Amino acid sequence: MIQLESLVDAIVRGTTLAAEVTRRVQAEDAGAHGALAKAGNEPVTVADYASQALILREIAIRFPTVSIISEEASAPLRKKQSESTLERVRQLVSDSLSQQVTREQLYAWIDHCGDKESQIAITVDPIDGTKGFLRGDHYAIAVGVLDVGTPVAGVLVCPNLETFDSADRKGVVVTAVRGGGAYEHPLDPEGASSRRIRVSARSHAGSLRMLASVESSHGDPKLVDDLIAAMDLRGGKVKIDSQVKYAVLARGDAEIYLRPRSTREWRDQVWDHVPGVAIALAASARVTDQDGKNLDFRTGRRLENNRGVLVTNGPQHDDIVRAIARLDGNHA
Ligand code: AMP
Ligand code: MG
């Protein structure tokens, strides 16, 4: 039997190490990020690979049999033209661990997949919001835990999110274990103390604040704006990259995160939602897809049975689903 609290401790250790590296890389000039283009025009950087290696090394040591669903793989790094990228990743990971790591160790950590039959699976997005990361904006290191398809725990490290007690201090770690609530901790030890978080109590539509993607191609900005107009949501709209949106909603700083499906073909990827959903639920949020259906995380790497995602603090959830249906009656 795996203790979820111990698993989350290991995830926090791995993601915290990873955050030191991603911060270091983001602070360097844009040209040094080592951005490569993946299939579908998604960027991937040296920091994505270093982060995934550090997280999965920790899991492989402490929980070797847990099954892993991770965004990156070592294959692109092994290509001849990636030589300098590979060396940079190896250097970053070696510096982080204060030991020289070999290419083989690096490949093994990045590709670690545990036992595919394990009841517990971990989703790993080593840098969620890579486009935000490259812009110098928000991103998250996002690791979630699934128990036979149910999100039961999550960790979101948000290096550029302000701590709750100081607008000048950045770096937040949000954790949740099912049944144990959601918590916010400072990423840096000298930061504020930890606190339990929960969603906002606002219920009047006129006061609700909306969260949306910065990248317009990741959603359907027109549907979001039409919903704001139709329900007269006057709390404002804030655009933030990555699952930082889940953290912001879970700590009560916004009430609605609507991520409409971007295209008929697009299926959301599990690592973009499992940790956020586990944290949102532990903070008493409601989570469905844009049609009001429960999210089905049993379909592998992608959410094959859902259209988009809707997360709210609760009171207006059903009204929002009904409003979306009216605005977007033409379902696929
Ligand atoms: P966000 O910053 O909330 O827009 O989310 C970032 C995530 O959007 C990335 O991790 C990608 O997996 C995902 N993404 C990339 N392309 C698309 C797309 N066309 N539609 C929806 N999501 C996408
Ligand atoms: Mg992502």
Side-chain angles (χ1 to χ4, degrees):
M1 237 340 237
I2 283 171
Q3 277 289 326
L4 285 180
E5 287 79 8
S6 316
L7 183 55
V8 165
D9 286 347
I11 294 169
V12 169
R13 264 198 307 282
T15 50
T16 304
L17 266 188
E20 285 173 21
V21 174
T22 59
R23 277 180 153 175
R24 177 176 159 190
V25 174
Q26 198 184 34
E28 291 168 359
D29 71 86
H33 285 143
L36 315 169
K38 273 198 306 198
N41 232 355
E42 278 296 288
V44 57
T45 73
V46 292
D48 292 71
Y49 292 114
S51 171
Q52 182 158 316
L54 289 166
I55 295 165
L56 290 184
R57 172 182 174 273
E58 194 71 37
I59 302 298
I61 292 170
R62 293 283 312 284
F63 295 92
T65 61
V66 161
S67 158
I68 308 290
I69 307 171
S70 57
E71 179 164 15
E72 308 305 340
S74 73
L77 274 185
R78 295 173 189 245
K79 293 188 178 146
K80 204 153 183 57
Q81 65 268 31
S82 305
E83 185 76 20
S84 60
T85 307
L86 169 63
E87 273 314 301
R88 178 89 175 111
V89 176
R90 197 163 72 86
Q91 200 50 54
L92 288 167
V93 174
S94 298
D95 288 355
S96 169
L97 297 173
S98 303
Q99 68 178 77
Q100 276 304 312
V101 309
T102 65
R103 292 179 174 195
E104 273 56 44
Q105 281 176 307
L106 200 59
Y107 296 151
W109 292 331
I110 292 172
D111 294 335
H112 174 71
C113 61
D115 176 356
K116 284 287 165 214
E117 301 303 311
S118 163
Q119 176 180 331
I120 298 287
I122 291 184
T123 68
V124 179
D125 192 340
I127 294 186
D128 180 27
T130 308
K131 290 170 186 162
F133 175 79
L134 288 168
R135 259 190 267 109
D137 291 339
H138 283 290
Y139 67 96
I141 300 169
V143 181
V145 182
L146 286 171
D147 184 344
V148 202
T150 301
V152 290
V155 175
L156 287 175
V157 175
C158 310
N160 293 334
L161 183 62
E162 295 84 17
T163 60
F164 65 88
D165 65 332
S166 163
D168 304 328
R169 211 183 277 140
K170 290 183 177 168
V172 168
V173 181
V174 182
T175 61
V177 173
R178 187 166 61 166
Y183 290 84
E184 169 179 347
H185 320 270
L187 176 55
D188 302 310
E190 69 277 12
S193 52
S194 300
R195 64 164 182 168
R196 187 165 179 169
I197 55 173
R198 57 167 292 123
V199 293
S200 127
R202 292 190 190 190
S203 59
H204 182 251
S207 69
L208 302 187
R209 296 162 289 184
M210 172 74 84
L211 294 163
S213 286
V214 175
E215 298 289 333
S216 55
S217 66
H218 291 183
D220 181 348
K222 182 173 182 322
L223 182 58
V224 173
D225 289 342
D226 287 352
L227 177 73
I228 289 171
M231 291 189 68
D232 200 17
L233 306 172
R234 276 174 277 114
K237 180 172 78 174
V238 180
K239 294 183 186 176
I240 306 179
D241 295 285
S242 83
Q243 282 166 85
V244 170
K245 291 188 277 300
Y246 280 99
V248 167
L249 192 142
R251 71 178 186 181
D253 290 342
E255 289 74 31
I256 307 170
Y257 168 25
L258 172 59
R259 183 188 191 82
R261 192 168 76 184
S262 54
T263 64
R264 201 174 273 263
E265 295 72 38
W266 177 261
R267 298 293 178 272
D268 275 278
Q269 309 185 95
V270 291
W271 50 79
D272 285 332
H273 297 287
V274 173
V277 168
I279 286 165
L281 292 174
S284 301
R286 275 196 65 193
V287 182
T288 65
D289 70 6
Q290 71 196 70
D291 301 320
K293 278 170 56 182
N294 287 332
L295 298 182
D296 180 359
F297 287 106
R298 295 165 306 174
T299 56
R301 293 168 71 81
R302 307 192 317 167
L303 289 156
E304 303 290 353
N305 296 334
N306 293 107
R307 291 193 338 130
V309 176
L310 172 66
V311 190
T312 76
N313 66 327
Q316 299 281 341
H317 197 98
D318 296 326
D319 285 350
I320 293 170
V321 169
R322 277 190 288 273
I324 293 170
R326 280 195 298 275
L327 293 166
D328 181 39
N330 199 8
H331 288 192

